[in-house]
Every structure is written in structure tokens, then in C-alpha cells.
Coordinates of all heavy atoms in Angstrom, one line a residue:
F1098 N 0.8 -1.2 0.0 CA 0.0 0.0 0.0 C 0.9 1.2 0.0 O 1.8 1.4 0.8 CB -0.9 0.0 1.2 CG -1.8 1.2 1.3 CD1 -3.1 1.2 0.7 CD2 -1.5 2.3 2.0 CE1 -3.9 2.2 0.8 CE2 -2.3 3.4 2.1 CZ -3.5 3.4 1.5
G1099 N 0.6 2.2 -0.9 CA 1.4 3.4 -1.0 C 2.7 3.3 -1.8 O 3.5 4.3 -1.8
W1100 N 2.9 2.2 -2.5 CA 4.1 2.1 -3.4 C 3.8 3.0 -4.6 O 2.7 3.0 -5.1 CB 4.3 0.7 -3.8 CG 4.9 -0.2 -2.8 CD1 5.0 0.1 -1.4 CD2 5.5 -1.5 -3.0 NE1 5.5 -1.0 -0.8 CE2 5.9 -2.0 -1.7 CE3 5.7 -2.3 -4.1 CZ2 6.4 -3.2 -1.5 CZ3 6.3 -3.5 -3.9 CH2 6.7 -4.0 -2.6
E1101 N 4.8 3.8 -5.0 CA 4.6 4.6 -6.2 C 4.7 3.8 -7.5 O 5.5 2.9 -7.6 CB 5.7 5.7 -6.1 CG 5.4 6.7 -5.0 CD 6.2 8.0 -5.2 OE1 7.1 8.0 -6.1 OE2 6.0 8.9 -4.4
I1102 N 4.0 4.2 -8.5 CA 3.9 3.5 -9.7 C 5.3 3.5 -10.4 O 5.7 2.5 -11.1 CB 2.8 4.0 -10.7 CG1 2.6 3.1 -11.8 CG2 3.2 5.4 -11.1 CD1 1.4 3.4 -12.6
D1103 N 6.1 4.5 -10.2 CA 7.4 4.6 -10.8 C 8.4 3.5 -10.2 O 9.4 3.2 -10.8 CB 8.0 6.0 -10.6 CG 7.3 7.0 -11.5 OD1 6.6 6.6 -12.4 OD2 7.5 8.2 -11.2
D1104 N 8.1 3.0 -9.0 CA 8.9 2.1 -8.4 C 8.7 0.6 -8.9 O 9.5 -0.2 -8.7 CB 8.7 2.1 -6.9 CG 9.2 3.3 -6.2 OD1 10.1 3.9 -6.8 OD2 8.6 3.7 -5.2
L1105 N 7.5 0.4 -9.5 CA 7.1 -1.0 -9.8 C 8.0 -1.6 -10.9 O 8.1 -2.9 -10.9 CB 5.6 -1.0 -10.2 CG 4.7 -0.5 -9.1 CD1 3.2 -0.7 -9.6 CD2 4.9 -1.2 -7.8
D1106 N 8.6 -0.9 -11.8 CA 9.4 -1.5 -12.8 C 10.8 -1.8 -12.3 O 11.5 -2.6 -12.9 CB 9.6 -0.5 -14.0 CG 8.3 -0.5 -14.9 OD1 7.5 -1.4 -14.7 OD2 8.3 0.3 -15.9
E1107 N 11.2 -1.2 -11.2 CA 12.5 -1.3 -10.6 C 12.6 -2.6 -9.8 O 11.6 -3.1 -9.2 CB 12.9 -0.2 -9.7 CG 12.7 1.2 -10.4 CD 13.8 1.4 -11.5 OE1 14.8 0.7 -11.5 OE2 13.6 2.3 -12.3
S1108 N 13.8 -3.2 -9.8 CA 14.0 -4.5 -9.1 C 13.7 -4.3 -7.6 O 13.3 -5.3 -7.0 CB 15.4 -5.0 -9.3 OG 16.4 -4.0 -8.8
Y1109 N 14.0 -3.1 -7.0 CA 13.7 -3.0 -5.6 C 12.2 -2.9 -5.3 O 11.8 -2.9 -4.2 CB 14.4 -1.7 -5.1 CG 13.9 -0.4 -5.7 CD1 12.7 0.2 -5.4 CD2 14.8 0.3 -6.6 CE1 12.3 1.4 -5.9 CE2 14.4 1.5 -7.2 CZ 13.2 2.0 -6.8 OH 12.8 3.2 -7.4
G1110 N 11.4 -2.7 -6.4 CA 9.9 -2.7 -6.2 C 9.2 -4.0 -6.7 O 8.1 -4.0 -7.0
A1111 N 10.0 -5.1 -6.6 CA 9.4 -6.4 -7.1 C 8.3 -6.8 -6.2 O 8.4 -6.8 -4.9 CB 10.5 -7.4 -7.0
P1112 N 7.1 -7.2 -6.8 CA 6.0 -7.7 -6.0 C 6.2 -9.0 -5.2 O 7.3 -9.6 -5.5 CB 4.9 -7.8 -7.0 CG 5.4 -7.1 -8.2 CD 6.8 -7.2 -8.2
V1113 N 5.3 -9.4 -4.4 CA 5.5 -10.6 -3.6 C 4.2 -11.5 -3.8 O 3.1 -11.0 -3.7 CB 5.6 -10.2 -2.1 CG1 5.6 -11.5 -1.2 CG2 6.9 -9.4 -1.8
D1114 N 4.5 -12.7 -4.0 CA 3.4 -13.7 -4.1 C 3.9 -15.0 -3.5 O 5.1 -15.1 -3.1 CB 3.0 -13.9 -5.6 CG 1.5 -14.2 -5.7 OD1 0.9 -14.7 -4.7 OD2 1.0 -14.0 -6.8
E1115 N 3.1 -16.1 -3.6 CA 3.5 -17.3 -3.0 C 4.7 -17.9 -3.8 O 5.6 -18.6 -3.2 CB 2.4 -18.4 -3.0 CG 1.2 -18.0 -2.1 CD 0.3 -17.0 -2.7 OE1 0.4 -16.7 -3.9 OE2 -0.7 -16.6 -2.0
L1116 N 4.8 -17.8 -5.1 CA 5.9 -18.3 -5.9 C 6.7 -17.1 -6.3 O 6.3 -16.1 -6.9 CB 5.3 -19.0 -7.1 CG 4.4 -20.2 -6.8 CD1 3.9 -20.8 -8.1 CD2 5.2 -21.3 -6.1
L1117 N 8.0 -17.2 -6.1 CA 9.0 -16.2 -6.4 C 10.2 -16.7 -7.1 O 10.5 -17.9 -6.9 CB 9.4 -15.5 -5.1 CG 8.3 -14.9 -4.2 CD1 8.8 -14.6 -2.8 CD2 7.8 -13.6 -4.8
F1118 N 10.9 -15.9 -7.8 CA 12.0 -16.4 -8.6 C 13.1 -15.3 -8.7 O 12.7 -14.1 -9.0 CB 11.6 -16.8 -10.0 CG 12.7 -17.3 -10.8 CD1 13.4 -18.4 -10.5 CD2 13.1 -16.6 -12.0 CE1 14.5 -18.9 -11.3 CE2 14.2 -17.0 -12.8 CZ 14.9 -18.2 -12.4
N1119 N 14.3 -15.6 -8.4 CA 15.5 -14.7 -8.6 C 15.4 -13.4 -7.9 O 15.8 -12.4 -8.4 CB 15.7 -14.5 -10.1 CG 17.1 -14.0 -10.4 OD1 18.1 -14.6 -9.9 ND2 17.3 -13.0 -11.2
E1120 N 14.8 -13.5 -6.7 CA 14.6 -12.2 -5.9 C 13.8 -11.2 -6.7 O 14.0 -10.0 -6.5 CB 15.9 -11.7 -5.4 CG 16.6 -12.7 -4.4 CD 17.8 -12.2 -3.8 OE1 18.3 -11.1 -4.1 OE2 18.4 -13.0 -2.9
G1121 N 13.0 -11.6 -7.6 CA 12.1 -10.7 -8.3 C 12.8 -9.9 -9.4 O 12.2 -8.9 -9.9
E1122 N 14.0 -10.2 -9.8 CA 14.8 -9.4 -10.7 C 15.1 -10.1 -12.0 O 15.4 -11.3 -12.1 CB 16.1 -9.1 -10.0 CG 17.0 -8.2 -10.8 CD 18.3 -7.8 -10.1 OE1 18.2 -7.1 -9.1 OE2 19.4 -8.2 -10.5
L1123 N 14.9 -9.4 -13.1 CA 15.3 -9.9 -14.4 C 16.1 -8.8 -15.1 O 16.1 -7.6 -14.8 CB 14.1 -10.2 -15.3 CG 13.3 -9.1 -15.9 CD1 12.9 -9.4 -17.4 CD2 12.0 -8.8 -15.1
V1124 N 16.9 -9.2 -16.1 CA 17.8 -8.3 -16.8 C 17.5 -8.4 -18.3 O 17.4 -9.5 -18.9 CB 19.3 -8.7 -16.6 CG1 20.2 -7.9 -17.5 CG2 19.7 -8.5 -15.1
L1125 N 17.3 -7.3 -18.9 CA 17.1 -7.1 -20.4 C 18.3 -6.5 -20.9 O 18.8 -5.4 -20.5 CB 15.8 -6.3 -20.7 CG 15.5 -6.1 -22.2 CD1 14.0 -5.9 -22.3 CD2 16.2 -5.0 -22.8
R1126 N 18.9 -7.2 -21.9 CA 20.1 -6.6 -22.6 C 19.7 -6.4 -24.1 O 19.1 -7.2 -24.7 CB 21.3 -7.6 -22.6 CG 21.9 -7.7 -21.2 CD 23.1 -8.7 -21.2 NE 23.8 -8.6 -19.9 CZ 23.5 -9.4 -18.9 NH1 22.4 -10.2 -18.9 NH2 24.1 -9.3 -17.7
A1127 N 20.1 -5.2 -24.6 CA 19.9 -4.8 -25.9 C 21.2 -4.6 -26.7 O 22.1 -4.0 -26.1 CB 19.0 -3.5 -26.0
Y1128 N 21.3 -5.1 -27.9 CA 22.5 -5.0 -28.7 C 22.1 -4.4 -30.0 O 21.1 -4.8 -30.6 CB 23.1 -6.4 -28.9 CG 23.4 -7.1 -27.6 CD1 22.5 -8.0 -27.0 CD2 24.7 -7.0 -27.0 CE1 22.7 -8.6 -25.8 CE2 25.0 -7.7 -25.8 CZ 24.0 -8.5 -25.3 OH 24.3 -9.2 -24.1
S1129 N 23.0 -3.5 -30.5 CA 22.7 -2.9 -31.8 C 22.8 -3.9 -32.9 O 23.6 -4.9 -32.8 CB 23.7 -1.8 -32.1 OG 25.0 -2.3 -32.2
A1130 N 22.0 -3.7 -34.0 CA 22.1 -4.6 -35.2 C 23.3 -4.1 -36.0 O 24.0 -3.1 -35.7 CB 20.9 -4.5 -36.0
K1131 N 23.6 -4.9 -37.1 CA 24.8 -4.5 -37.9 C 24.5 -3.3 -38.7 O 25.4 -2.4 -38.9 CB 25.1 -5.7 -38.8 CG 26.3 -5.5 -39.7 CD 26.6 -6.7 -40.6 CE 27.8 -6.5 -41.5 NZ 28.0 -7.7 -42.3
N1132 N 23.3 -3.1 -39.1 CA 23.0 -2.0 -40.0 C 22.1 -1.0 -39.3 O 21.2 -1.3 -38.5 CB 22.3 -2.4 -41.3 CG 23.2 -3.4 -42.1 OD1 24.4 -3.1 -42.2 ND2 22.6 -4.5 -42.5
A1133 N 22.2 0.3 -39.6 CA 21.4 1.4 -39.1 C 19.9 1.1 -39.6 O 19.7 0.6 -40.7 CB 21.9 2.7 -39.5
E1134 N 19.0 1.5 -38.7 CA 17.5 1.4 -39.0 C 17.0 0.0 -38.8 O 15.8 -0.2 -38.8 CB 17.2 1.9 -40.4 CG 17.6 3.3 -40.7 CD 17.0 4.3 -39.8 OE1 15.8 4.1 -39.3 OE2 17.7 5.3 -39.4
D1135 N 17.9 -1.0 -38.5 CA 17.4 -2.3 -38.2 C 17.1 -2.4 -36.7 O 17.6 -1.7 -35.9 CB 18.5 -3.4 -38.5 CG 18.7 -3.6 -40.0 OD1 17.8 -3.1 -40.8 OD2 19.7 -4.3 -40.4
Q1136 N 16.2 -3.3 -36.4 CA 15.7 -3.5 -35.1 C 16.9 -4.0 -34.2 O 17.7 -4.8 -34.6 CB 14.6 -4.6 -35.0 CG 13.8 -4.7 -33.7 CD 12.7 -5.7 -33.8 OE1 12.9 -6.8 -34.1 NE2 11.5 -5.2 -33.6
V1137 N 17.0 -3.5 -33.0 CA 18.0 -4.0 -32.0 C 17.7 -5.4 -31.6 O 16.6 -5.9 -31.7 CB 18.1 -3.0 -30.8 CG1 18.4 -1.6 -31.2 CG2 16.9 -3.1 -29.9
L1138 N 18.7 -6.1 -31.1 CA 18.6 -7.4 -30.6 C 18.4 -7.4 -29.1 O 19.0 -6.6 -28.4 CB 19.8 -8.2 -31.0 CG 20.3 -8.2 -32.5 CD1 21.6 -8.9 -32.7 CD2 19.2 -8.7 -33.4
V1139 N 17.6 -8.3 -28.6 CA 17.2 -8.3 -27.2 C 17.3 -9.7 -26.6 O 17.0 -10.7 -27.3 CB 15.7 -7.9 -27.1 CG1 15.3 -7.9 -25.6 CG2 15.5 -6.5 -27.6
T1140 N 17.9 -9.8 -25.4 CA 17.9 -11.0 -24.7 C 17.4 -10.8 -23.2 O 17.5 -9.6 -22.7 CB 19.3 -11.6 -24.5 OG1 20.1 -10.7 -23.8 CG2 19.9 -11.9 -25.9
L1141 N 16.7 -11.8 -22.6 CA 16.3 -11.7 -21.3 C 17.0 -12.8 -20.4 O 17.2 -13.9 -20.9 CB 14.8 -11.9 -21.2 CG 13.8 -10.9 -21.8 CD1 12.4 -11.4 -21.7 CD2 14.0 -9.6 -21.1
S1142 N 17.2 -12.5 -19.2 CA 17.8 -13.5 -18.3 C 17.3 -13.2 -16.9 O 17.0 -12.0 -16.5 CB 19.3 -13.5 -18.3 OG 19.8 -12.3 -17.9

């Protein structure tokens, strides 16, 4: 109660439920493509 919406995307604002994983934290990495205007490459872990 009273958590600010801007905090919810941050790892320190991870919600709590019965099932939890990796202390609520995930990492998104973005890599540039070879050519300009191409979509960047994305991985999650």
C-alpha cells in the first residue's frame, strides 16, 4: 500500500506472491544490429 507506480518497474519494487524467482529481478540486454535502422537485438535473463 502506498508504493509509487514509478517504483514498480525497478528491481527494488518487485511484488510478492507465493511463488517467487530470482529475488524478483530480471535483466534485459539490448544489442545494436549490424545496420542502421534495423531492429536492435534483445535477450532476457
Side-chain angles (χ1 to χ4, degrees):
F1098 181 87
W1100 287 13
E1101 292 193 350
I1102 192 168
D1103 289 343
D1104 292 332
L1105 301 184
D1106 283 353
E1107 305 292 341
S1108 58
Y1109 63 76
V1113 174
D1114 212 341
E1115 291 83 6
L1116 298 177
L1117 302 163
F1118 179 66
N1119 200 47
E1120 296 185 357
E1122 181 177 295
L1123 76 139
V1124 174
L1125 182 151
R1126 290 181 172 87
Y1128 304 88
S1129 65
K1131 182 177 180 180
N1132 300 315
E1134 303 303 325
D1135 286 351
Q1136 191 178 58
V1137 302
L1138 308 177
V1139 176
T1140 65
L1141 292 176
S1142 63

